[in-house]
Amino acid sequence: NGGWGNVPPWTIIEVHPTNDGGFFMSWYDDRYMTEVESPYMAYVKGNGELGFYEPNGLKLWYEDRLRAMNVSSAYDPATDAFYAIWNQESAGQSWNGVRAQKISKEGELLWGEYGIELKPLQQGASYGYSSVRPGINDEIGFFYMRAFNVNGTDVESFITLVNANDTTIRREKEFTK
């Protein structure tokens, strides 16, 4: 992509088992060499069939001006849905935010084609080390870190709990600083 060296696949692809003997994976790529990455997910059922009708991966976000990187995902048996979180970044990576999406096993984007915004674009912030985990009481927990400088100081870690049945953000909690 744009002269950058090859990124090893294990740094961008997450693979998880499902309760039907299959697996799902999430990743980001710039398949059209536009220097704008997009988040993707694929689901393979236990019988080997594709769960989504997108053989090259289901695109999770339809904003083509902002980069989407560092996708993390999880499956929640309680809602029978997949969840994904990723960083959104401006082309020069000077503006950064965090987005999330809920995906049905049929490949429907349940939170719309743009997902939900967990952290709005903010200049000077950098987000990373994100993960998503099913919670209790119909909540999904999205974890992520924000840093305001490259030397590792001024770092905050957050959990945002979202109602799994809609897009209501129930609470955000900073748990390290």
Side-chain angles (χ1 to χ4, degrees), residues 69-130:
M69 303 170 78
N70 305 318
V71 183
S72 184
S73 56
Y75 170 72
D76 179 23
T79 59
D80 198 30
F82 302 106
Y83 295 85
I85 181 175
W86 63 87
N87 303 348
Q88 60 178 357
E89 301 176 358
S90 62
Q93 298 181 356
S94 58
W95 288 80
N96 296 273
V98 180
R99 285 213 167 262
Q101 181 63 271
K102 179 179 180 180
I103 306 99
S104 74
K105 279 191 163 177
E106 293 75 37
E108 182 182 357
L109 302 179
L110 298 173
W111 287 343
E113 62 183 26
Y114 297 103
I116 61 171
E117 184 177 69
L118 298 178
K119 283 293 191 183
L121 286 173
Q122 183 176 15
Q123 191 168 22
S126 178
Y127 291 94
Y129 304 104
S130 57

Side-chain angles (χ1 to χ4, degrees), residues 21-43:
F23 66 93
F24 69 99
M25 64 178 107
S26 57
W27 72 94
Y28 65 96
D29 70 45
D30 176 15
R31 59 185 58 180
Y32 302 111
M33 305 303 272
T34 60
E35 296 189 22
V36 177
E37 296 82 359
S38 296
Y40 291 90
M41 180 177 279
Y43 166 44

Side-chain angles (χ1 to χ4, degrees), residues 45-58:
K45 297 177 182 180
N47 63 8
E49 294 178 7
L50 287 178
F52 304 153
Y53 297 105
E54 302 290 336
N56 296 318
L58 174 69

